[in-house]
Each structure stands twice: as structure tokens, then as C-alpha cells.
Amino acid sequence: MDERPLSEERAVIVQLDFGGDNLDEQLEELRLLTRSAGAVVCAEVHGRRHGPDAATFAGKGKVLEIAAEVAAHEADLVIFNHELSAGQERNLARALSCRVIDRTSLILDIFAQRAQSAEGKLQVELAQLERLATRLVRGWTHLERQKGGIGLRGPGETQLETDRRLLGIRVRLLKERLARLERQRGVQRQARGRGEQLNVSLVGYTNAGKSTLFNALTHAGVFAADQLFATLDTTTRKLWLPEVGHVVLSDTVGFIRDLPHSLVAAFHATLEATAEADLLLHVVDSASPARDEQVADVNKVLAEIGAAGVPQLTVLNKLDLSGLPPAAERDEYGRIFRVRVSARCGDGLPLLRDALAEVARAKTAGRRHQPAVAGASPAGMTIDSDGSP
């Protein structure tokens, strides 16, 4: 058995094929999610099914295979790269004699570890509690017992009803606190919006290199690592551009396939700044085989938060891995169409700064005409940049 820190958990990961595409990419993403949560993958279980089993999701035979891997590797938990119902989680935990979590729970756990600001912690707690509320229906049958006995007699409600009531009180309190913070953010954004400065938000699939690009442009020293959701709390800095002055640049949380709706809702106050930006720098991992799907996933979340209409400048990142040369491409109207850079190596960054300056000059002049993004409306803008880990 390999050596590991005492606090490190061993996980068996499960990926089932129901006829979808990009399974290898999804499995690699699950590996990275697991490592980002602080666990080590000790075994993997794959399989094909026509559809999920109602009781155990995987079916009896596959559950026996998972149980064998858990026993052989002394695993602490099993992680499904799927969405499990409360009943399925409970049945699997009973059959496997260990903890079982799904993809959503894994992402929520990573967010809970990464949150640093008071607002970020409130947002994560709200998402976790709202998910827990849906699991108090049938997954917690042991709480259905009526309190009783000397010193244990309750107020006439079951323990489950008490839990639901207390949970609801806490959720309302969190929503009130976040609403106050959202109003404060709104005042700050309005103050910034009254100025002539260009407001730019970095968006993109998690681990596409947004924070590395942000640091390369602003020297902010934001934590950047080869892990998913390295950045959770939004960071804003000013970027000086010659002949233009300052532009406001914000680094935001990365998006991911099937990002839990509870997280999108909880982080609405933070993500709302993205919807109110003048321009989105859509950072894309140019070396990823699934980059087209990742772009689609990001645009899907942007639509959820009301940012689908914000002009985009697509930055193809990680040129040092894809082998593409840095370049700035223009469309037939002479507008910047694509910029390729490496945030880690710095190649192509001057081209990106020039593109931002071009947009800033248009804002200052009262013109909103920005370069069009490939396949998007003329209001969009695309820049490709490669090079962030």
C-alpha cells in the first residue's frame, strides 16, 4: 500500500456510460476534481448501462464490483461522476459500507474548502443547506421518530420536521445576509459604472488559466494552481494601458460542466458583476480536446446569470501546450477577431493589451462597436490566448 498523509482520503471513482460523448474527458475531470478536494484516487470502476438503476444507480453486479475495489484498497469513500438521489446514496452507502457522494456533493465540498471571504462562505453554506433540504425527504428516515422519553419529549413534531424548520430558518437568514451584501455590491458597481473606465471580467472553464492570465496582466499575485476551482472569491484590480489609462479587471470563479444550480443561485450576487461588465474575456484552454464543449458549457452558465448579451473577447490560452504561435486576427471589417497568447510564458500578452486598449478607446469615445466573436452576434468579440495553467 502506498504511503499517504494521515488526513488524505482514499477514493474509488465511478464513471458509467449511458451512451454519452467525451467520457475520457469527463473521467479525467473527475480525477482532477477528486484531487482538488484532497483525496487520492485508489481505484476506478467503469461500466455501460442503458439507464440508471432506480435503487442503486449502478445495478447489483456493478455495486458488487465497486464493493470489491473498496475492500481491496481500504477506500474511505466512493465518488460517482453522476447525480444521485438521496435514496440511491443511502442504498449505496449501506451496500458498500462506506461513504458515497456524487459529483454535485464533490463540487460543493471543493467550494467549501476554497471560500475565503465572508460572502463566499455564506454562499457555499447556502448552497449546501439548500441541497440538504432536498435530501431530508426520504434519505433521513431515522429522523422520523417522534421524540419521547423522560427529558426528551419534543414540542409535538418529529425530529425530521424540526430539522426542516431549523434548516429553513438558517436558509432565510443566509439569504437576508447575502441580499444586503448584494445591495452593497450594486452601489459599488454603479459608482464604477458612472466612470469612463472599461469594466472587464475574466470568465472560462475551470482550470483554463484565468488566474494566471489575471496575474500576468495585473501582477496581482492571485493564487493559481493546476487544480479545479483554485479561485473562488472574485478579485478586482486596475490595469494600466498606455494612451487609455486604467481599465478594471475582475477574476471570477471558473465554470464547469453541469455546475450545480444551487451554486449558480447562491453565487448570483458575485456572478452578477459578470453580467454588468462591459466586456468578458472568455479564457479557453487551447490544449484541451474538449475545448469546444467547455466553451458551450461556459456560455450556458453565462445565459443562466443573464450575461449572454455581454460582448466577449475569447482568449485561447496555453499556447505553450498547444504549439500555436501568438497572433491577433482581425475580421473583414478590421476589428480584432482572435488573439492567441500564453499567460504562463507571456507570449502574445502585448497583443491582448492592445485589444483591450482598442475596446477602451471605443468606450471613451461613446462607441460600443467591438470586434465580433466567431459564430456570435456583431456585438460580440473574440480573442484567443494560450498559456495559463
Side-chain angles (χ1 to χ4, degrees):
M1 188 178 300
D2 54 340
E3 295 182 2
R4 57 166 173 146
L6 294 177
S7 61
E8 192 173 55
E9 295 180 286
R10 301 176 70 86
V12 174
I13 61 176
V14 181
Q15 169 78 59
L16 301 182
D17 179 6
F18 297 106
D21 299 324
N22 301 314
L23 293 178
D24 291 340
E25 282 295 316
Q26 292 179 22
L27 185 59
E28 177 57 31
E29 187 174 271
L30 178 60
R31 296 187 190 111
L32 190 49
L33 279 169
T34 302
R35 291 196 296 271
S36 297
V40 60
V41 177
C42 62
E44 299 179 3
V45 176
H46 313 140
R48 296 189 60 135
R49 287 184 61 88
H50 292 298
D53 179 77
T56 61
F57 192 87
K60 292 181 180 179
K62 190 59 61 176
V63 170
L64 290 175
E65 182 182 341
I66 298 170
E69 294 291 347
V70 169
H73 296 88
E74 298 182 0
D76 302 297
L77 76 160
V78 174
I79 303 174
F80 276 72
N81 198 23
H82 308 275
E83 181 80 17
L84 300 176
S85 69
Q88 288 167 339
E89 273 191 14
R90 183 182 67 249
N91 294 336
L92 285 166
R94 183 181 299 136
L96 301 174
S97 299
C98 73
R99 283 181 295 118
V100 177
I101 64 173
D102 63 5
R103 174 188 171 85
T104 297
S105 295
L106 179 61
I107 293 174
L108 284 171
D109 184 83
I110 295 172
F111 269 61
Q113 294 182 46
R114 298 284 189 271
Q116 297 296 324
S117 69
E119 183 176 13
K121 292 176 181 178
L122 289 175
Q123 290 167 328
V124 171
E125 184 183 355
L126 176 60
Q128 289 177 320
L129 290 181
E130 290 191 323
R131 176 171 170 80
L132 176 59
T134 66
R135 286 182 154 11
L136 284 178
V137 180
R138 291 191 180 89
W140 295 58
T141 54
H142 63 287
L143 296 179
E144 287 284 9
R145 296 189 302 271
Q146 181 77 30
K147 287 182 178 180
I150 297 174
L152 296 176
R153 303 186 194 280
E157 60 183 355
T158 65
Q159 182 62 52
L160 181 56
E161 289 170 341
T162 301
D163 289 344
R164 285 176 179 158
R165 180 169 51 80
L166 295 176
L167 198 61
I169 293 173
R170 181 62 179 168
V171 166
R172 284 195 297 273
L173 178 63
L174 291 174
K175 287 183 175 180
E176 289 171 1
R177 290 182 180 176
L178 287 171
R180 287 196 296 270
L181 290 171
E182 186 170 0
R183 287 193 293 270
Q184 293 173 7
R185 280 181 175 272
V187 172
Q188 294 169 354
R189 284 196 299 269
Q190 287 175 5
R192 287 197 300 265
R194 285 192 290 267
E196 291 297 319
Q197 293 178 338
L198 182 73
N199 287 295
V200 181
S201 284
L202 274 70
V203 300
Y205 207 79
T206 183
N207 208 35
K210 295 183 306 302
S211 294
T212 302
L213 179 61
F214 184 78
N215 287 336
L217 290 172
T218 67
H219 308 289
V222 171
F223 177 67
D226 186 16
Q227 58 183 216
L228 302 188
F229 303 117
T231 300
L232 185 54
D233 296 304
T234 299
T235 303
T236 299
R237 294 288 187 275
K238 288 186 176 181
L239 170 65
W240 174 263
L241 297 175
E243 301 180 6
V244 173
H246 284 112
V247 301
V248 178
L249 197 62
S250 298
D251 186 23
T252 61
V253 61
F255 301 149
I256 197 169
R257 174 181 61 88
D258 299 329
L259 188 66
H261 290 290
S262 57
L263 269 179
V264 175
F267 276 75
H268 180 267
T270 300
L271 296 175
E272 193 176 56
T274 300
E276 297 183 1
D278 297 309
L279 177 71
L280 302 181
L281 286 187
H282 187 161
V283 184
V284 179
D285 181 353
S286 65
S288 172
R291 72 180 190 182
D292 291 339
E293 290 80 7
Q294 291 174 357
V295 168
D297 288 328
V298 170
N299 286 329
K300 180 180 177 182
V301 177
L302 290 173
E304 281 190 62
I305 63 175
V310 180
Q312 289 189 23
L313 186 152
T314 303
V315 180
L316 284 180
N317 195 24
K318 305 189 181 181
L319 287 182
D320 50 311
L321 300 180
S322 64
L324 297 172
E329 303 174 32
R330 293 182 179 270
D331 62 16
E332 61 270 27
Y333 302 104
R335 298 175 299 190
I336 292 179
F337 174 71
R338 187 165 293 148
V339 175
R340 301 192 298 266
V341 306
S342 170
R344 180 166 57 188
C345 302
D347 297 337
L349 289 184
L351 301 174
L352 180 55
R353 292 190 182 94
D354 290 344
L356 289 173
E358 187 173 306
V359 180
R361 284 193 294 269
K363 175 180 170 65
T364 301
R367 293 178 285 110
R368 298 283 181 174
H369 308 301
Q370 297 166 341
V373 183
S377 65
M381 177 176 189
T382 300
I383 289 188
D384 302 356
S385 99
D386 289 27
S388 311

